[in-house]
Amino acid sequence: MIPTNNNHSVHFPRTRMRRGRRTAGIRTLLRETTLEPRHLILPVFVEETLEERTPINAMPGVFRETETSVVTRAKEAEKAGLGALMLFGVSHHKDHEGHDSMISGGLLDRMVGNVRAACPDLVIMADLCFCEYTDHGHCGPLTSEGTVDNDATLENIARQAIIAARAGADILAPSGMMDGQVAAIRNGLDKEGFEDRAILAYAAKYASHFYGPFRDAAGCSLKKGDRKTYQMDPANGDEALREVALDIQEGADMVMVKPGLPYLDILWRIKQEFAMPTFAYNVSGEYAMLRFAAQAGVLDYENVMMETLTSFRRAGADGILTYSALDAAKILQNHL
Ligand code: PBG
């Protein structure tokens, strides 16, 4: 609403918006949106049996970390004041159900445990999904018709959550878009005495082509089919609100919208409607767009990246999962 102040004209020439932009000091004074390192969450890929951290070609500047080098990244994240670290496993022990993520001594258990041992105070998020651990690449075991078996996945995801919690994860983040997954995880955690661990639901996760580079990075490209029977149709907005409402009823402590940039309207609606801690995932394809445009000399990476992250905050995000988290934190620290 435009404020109309008594008899004063609010029109030009009395009102000149440029007065608020005249100097850097005034612009800083009037800035509405803040971006701080604590708003940023760094996703990290951890590949087992890797000798050396390896660059991911589709994501310049991002690496697959070894089970040792992930600890170095975690310490960097802590030092930079990031809000949290999100861990993704790249398994070499894939099978039909993804057991490597459900057994003690498996990759999920080890990577969370290693980071926890090195960084007792760092907030650790564990991505809970099976696509990085199944040999077919889908987010749960398949039925005889070849679609993901929702209810069988629920039993498994509770086991996965307990493994991650026992290893020291603070926040469990289910990304598989199975119906009932938040309740299954909450029940599983509570039964094992982990009622203090939080759930960040990837509540509104779309069947997006912006995940392309991630699937290469995490080695979870599909052998067959797509994820449209469980992830959302990009054309739908109201459905996202229903997904979030259900996840909150099931016990989600925080919710997420994914991807980020093409879904800022969804982020805005969710934050306005539910007033929950709400996160946005600035996904691999969004990151790649900026990096490759910069490599081509078309955009300035640092500037467009900071502008992008600010737009998430302005649209209502409490935090942003972004591969640019360390780059952004460095820039923010230099400006202090
Ligand atoms: C796994 C998962 C995906 C991403 C995060 N968790 C891929 C997918 O659903 O296909 C994508 C993240 C990114 O693109 O950065 N369920």
Side-chain angles (χ1 to χ4, degrees):
M1 221 201 310
I2 297 169
T4 45
N5 200 349
N6 308 330
N7 300 321
H8 298 294
S9 163
V10 293
H11 302 295
F12 178 84
R14 260 179 195 262
T15 298
R16 288 181 184 266
M17 296 302 286
R18 288 181 57 187
R19 282 178 208 131
R21 301 175 198 139
R22 189 169 59 88
T23 66
I26 296 173
R27 290 194 295 275
T28 304
L29 176 70
L30 299 185
R31 186 159 300 139
E32 298 171 34
T33 304
T34 58
L35 181 66
E36 299 167 35
R38 70 183 179 94
H39 297 133
L40 305 172
I41 298 155
L42 180 69
V44 180
F45 302 101
V46 184
E47 179 167 356
E48 59 181 349
T49 69
L50 200 62
E51 303 260 309
E52 247 182 274
R53 69 195 288 248
T54 309
I56 297 165
N57 294 335
M59 302 171 73
V62 181
F63 292 76
R64 296 183 190 215
E65 303 292 340
T66 69
E67 292 192 52
T68 318
S69 70
V70 61
V71 170
T72 314
R73 277 316 74 59
K75 288 184 176 158
E76 271 174 31
E78 200 165 36
K79 201 150 155 251
L82 300 188
L85 200 69
M86 170 74 93
L87 293 172
F88 291 99
V90 183
S91 172
H92 288 292
H93 292 87
K94 299 186 188 220
D95 59 24
H96 181 71
E97 294 201 35
H99 283 98
D100 204 16
S101 64
M102 292 187 270
I103 50 170
S104 62
L107 177 58
L108 177 64
D109 183 18
R110 294 198 307 275
M111 70 182 180
V112 174
N114 287 348
V115 173
R116 174 51 74 224
C119 305
D121 299 322
L122 180 65
V123 177
I124 300 177
M125 295 182 171
D127 180 79
L128 298 188
C129 195
F130 291 96
C131 56
E132 302 105 287
Y133 301 95
T134 53
D135 49 18
H136 44 73
H138 276 286
C139 301
L142 302 178
T143 63
S144 48
E145 282 99 61
T147 59
V148 176
D149 185 335
N150 192 90
D151 297 11
T153 307
L154 297 186
E155 279 174 39
N156 289 351
I157 205 162
R159 293 164 63 196
Q160 209 180 39
I162 292 161
I163 288 287
R166 199 173 282 144
D170 300 290
I171 299 175
L172 294 311
S175 66
M177 291 298 282
M178 294 300 128
D179 290 319
Q181 64 183 8
V182 172
I185 291 168
R186 189 70 273 156
N187 291 338
L189 289 174
D190 290 359
K191 236 189 311 185
E192 292 293 314
F194 295 114
E195 51 282 279
D196 60 347
R197 304 309 162 86
I199 299 176
L200 163 59
Y202 284 65
K205 177 170 175 180
Y206 286 86
S208 171
H209 293 285
F210 283 95
Y211 306 147
F214 173 95
R215 290 179 186 164
D216 284 345
C220 62
S221 298
L222 291 178
K223 295 251 159 64
K224 229 170 71 187
D226 55 43
R227 290 182 170 81
K228 290 180 185 162
T229 65
Y230 40 106
Q231 298 180 349
M232 286 178 50
D233 182 340
N236 294 351
D238 293 345
E239 188 186 354
L241 299 191
R242 293 184 66 204
E243 284 281 4
V244 171
L246 286 167
D247 282 356
I248 294 171
Q249 278 166 11
E250 289 181 30
D253 301 285
M254 313 158 195
V255 296
M256 195 202 295
V257 178
K258 181 181 172 184
L261 269 190
Y263 299 87
L264 289 183
D265 58 324
I266 307 297
L267 173 63
W268 173 262
R269 286 176 71 181
I270 287 173
K271 186 63 186 176
Q272 295 299 310
E273 177 83 16
F274 299 101
M276 290 282 286
T278 305
F279 293 82
Y281 201 137
N282 178 215
V283 302
S284 56
E286 300 171 49
Y287 174 84
M289 288 197 297
L290 302 196
R291 281 292 195 183
F292 285 110
Q295 278 187 8
V298 175
L299 292 174
D300 178 83
Y301 167 69
E302 292 195 347
N303 285 326
V304 288
M305 180 266 287
M306 294 303 275
E307 186 176 329
T308 300
L309 297 179
T310 302
S311 76
F312 285 115
R313 291 276 300 146
R314 197 187 60 237
D318 294 287
I320 307 142
L321 288 102
T322 175
Y323 302 98
S324 303
L326 286 170
D327 300 332
K330 209 177 291 158
I331 294 169
L332 292 168
Q333 267 152 5
N334 290 340
H335 282 81
L336 280 183

